[in-house]
Amino acid sequence: MSDPYASRPSVHEERTDGFGTVRVLPLDPASDAPLLHRWVSEERAVFWGMNGLTVRQVAEIYAHMDTLGTHHAYLLLKDGAPAALLQTYEPEADRVGDCYPVAPGDIGIHLLLAPAGAGGPRPGWTAALMDAVAGFVLRGLGRTRVVADPDVANEKAVARFLRQGFTTGPEVVLPEIALPDVYLPEKKARLLFLTREVAFGG
């Protein structure tokens, strides 16, 4: 079967022995919306904030993001198969920037993993994928620290980041955003940080 993503250029590629190759592709709002809609509509993705949206609405959200110079969305492929949705943002241009002292070299991320396949959860899979994400944002984009802001109630996500070497920051309240193109409800978040030194051992 042909790889539908083979012709799309990647902005980063990581190969890990025993895991495989992760490619990072800029998101295509139109063509990727049906896939993303399936992911964000699942109950496990409730903290992503897109439950109940249509495919068109999902496409419109990411088409709007594509017009921004400070927020970007990527599709992560593992050996050619969709594995995660990654969003990056400049903290000073995001509501999280009002909640902590942003340092030069910071970059924010949101990560939504693809649902487990027919074989169920795979030990070590998430950690290896997150290593590739760290490689992209810290080495590929030349940043020095990653900031994550999962909902405090999303205990699985918080635990996942901590296992990956992130350190715990403060609990904050991200303010509501109500703009013509964007609405985000108030969010109680846990800030988490990962430095390049911790991620790559110095």
Side-chain angles (χ1 to χ4, degrees), residues 2-110:
S2 62
D3 179 357
Y5 302 98
S7 64
R8 288 172 56 176
S10 58
V11 294
H12 187 78
E13 190 169 307
E14 292 257 336
R15 178 180 291 276
T16 304
D17 291 340
F19 180 68
T21 299
V22 175
R23 293 178 63 217
V24 182
L25 312 182
L27 193 73
D28 183 319
S31 65
D32 293 331
L35 170 71
L36 299 184
H37 178 258
R38 290 197 297 273
W39 292 0
V40 302
S41 297
E42 295 187 352
E43 180 59 31
R44 68 181 187 89
V46 64
F47 292 110
W48 200 254
M50 292 188 184
N51 281 175
L53 298 187
T54 64
V55 173
R56 180 177 177 178
Q57 287 172 318
V58 170
E60 289 173 346
I61 286 171
Y62 286 104
H64 171 71
M65 186 179 295
D66 203 33
T67 68
L68 305 176
T70 56
H71 293 64
H72 304 281
Y74 304 92
L75 183 66
L76 274 56
L77 305 178
K78 192 266 186 184
D79 294 332
L85 167 62
L86 171 68
Q87 294 175 199
T88 64
Y89 61 89
E90 302 297 336
E92 67 271 18
D94 189 89
R95 59 182 179 167
V96 76
D98 296 331
C99 301
Y100 86 101
V102 179
D106 281 359
I107 186 169
I109 67 166
H110 298 134

Side-chain angles (χ1 to χ4, degrees), residues 99-101 145-152 154-155 157-172 189-195 198:
C99 301
Y100 86 101
R145 187 170 66 162
V146 184
V147 182
D149 63 348
D151 193 297
V152 293
N154 191 352
E155 296 176 356
V158 172
R160 189 185 303 130
F161 283 119
L162 292 175
R163 287 194 301 271
Q164 204 67 22
F166 281 71
T167 56
T168 304
E171 182 179 304
V172 300
R190 169 66 65 188
L191 297 189
L192 299 151
F193 302 92
L194 178 69
T195 64
V198 169

